[in-house]
Amino acid sequence: MPPTTRSRIVDAAVAMTVEAGWSRVTMAALAERVGVSRQTVYNEVGTKPGLAEAMIHQELDRFLGVVSAAFDQHPDDLVGAVRAASAGVLELAQDNRLLHAVVSATHGADTELLPLLTTHAESLLTAAKLVVADRLTPYQLGLEGRRLEAAIDMVVRVVLSHVMQPSGSPDGTADDIAWIAARVLRA
């Protein structure tokens, strides 16, 4: 199936951000690159902040795909699933050009994207927690309700923290996250 106009626009915006920085991404330049009118760009993604959110959510979908695949590969081993999901996410983050462009931007308007991954990451966190909660359903856990929500929140936030500021190798960090999850989830 060919990519949609929206996905072509978002992909082009990611490429432009990586190449030249977010401040250089304009709707006119994006339209020219994709080969559509500027009005089409606005119709597909709205304003520039809407484009930024679309870019972040497209990347989030890639990361959540890794999480789902890890849980599919470990249907009877919760700790193994958490470890594989964490390692996969951290490995993907290591090579993610958009993430590096956002995190390393330190001047002017290029910092506009950073809050979408940090201080204004509510929708990102909500989406990630929903996927993890859904993937935990088949496992027998010693937690439920508010305590389970807190455990999921903790695991998601720890992984996101290491995505933003790695402190070790993906495998070593994933081992540590799995160890913590085993104790918190009582798996």
Side-chain angles (χ1 to χ4, degrees), residues 3-17 19 30 33-34 51 55 58-59 62:
T4 64
T5 301
R6 179 182 175 84
S7 67
R8 288 178 35 238
I9 290 168
V10 173
D11 289 342
V14 168
M16 291 172 71
T17 301
E19 293 162 10
L30 192 53
R33 185 164 184 153
V34 177
L51 173 62
M55 291 167 48
Q58 178 174 285
E59 291 303 303
R62 291 179 56 217

Side-chain angles (χ1 to χ4, degrees), residues 70-124:
F71 275 87
D72 288 345
Q73 293 169 358
H74 298 276
D76 299 320
D77 178 9
L78 175 58
V79 175
V82 169
R83 192 215 170 279
S86 299
V89 164
L90 295 171
E91 287 167 7
L92 183 58
Q94 228 176 14
D95 299 323
N96 189 290
R97 294 175 59 209
L98 177 62
L99 182 61
H100 288 284
V102 171
V103 173
S104 66
T106 57
H107 59 282
D110 282 355
T111 59
E112 272 182 50
L113 294 174
L114 191 57
L116 295 175
L117 299 175
T118 56
T119 57
H120 296 102
E122 297 88 10
S123 64
L124 190 133

Side-chain angles (χ1 to χ4, degrees), residues 63 66 80-96 99-100 158-159 162-163 165-179:
F63 282 93
V66 168
V82 169
R83 192 215 170 279
S86 299
V89 164
L90 295 171
E91 287 167 7
L92 183 58
Q94 228 176 14
D95 299 323
N96 189 290
L99 182 61
H100 288 284
V158 168
V159 173
H162 284 280
V163 163
Q165 190 171 17
S167 62
S169 71
D171 283 334
T173 302
D175 287 341
D176 293 342
I177 292 169
W179 178 82

Side-chain angles (χ1 to χ4, degrees), residues 43-66:
N43 290 345
E44 292 292 333
V45 296
T47 62
K48 194 168 177 186
L51 173 62
E53 285 192 34
M55 291 167 48
I56 298 300
H57 282 279
Q58 178 174 285
E59 291 303 303
L60 176 62
D61 287 345
R62 291 179 56 217
F63 282 93
L64 294 178
V66 168

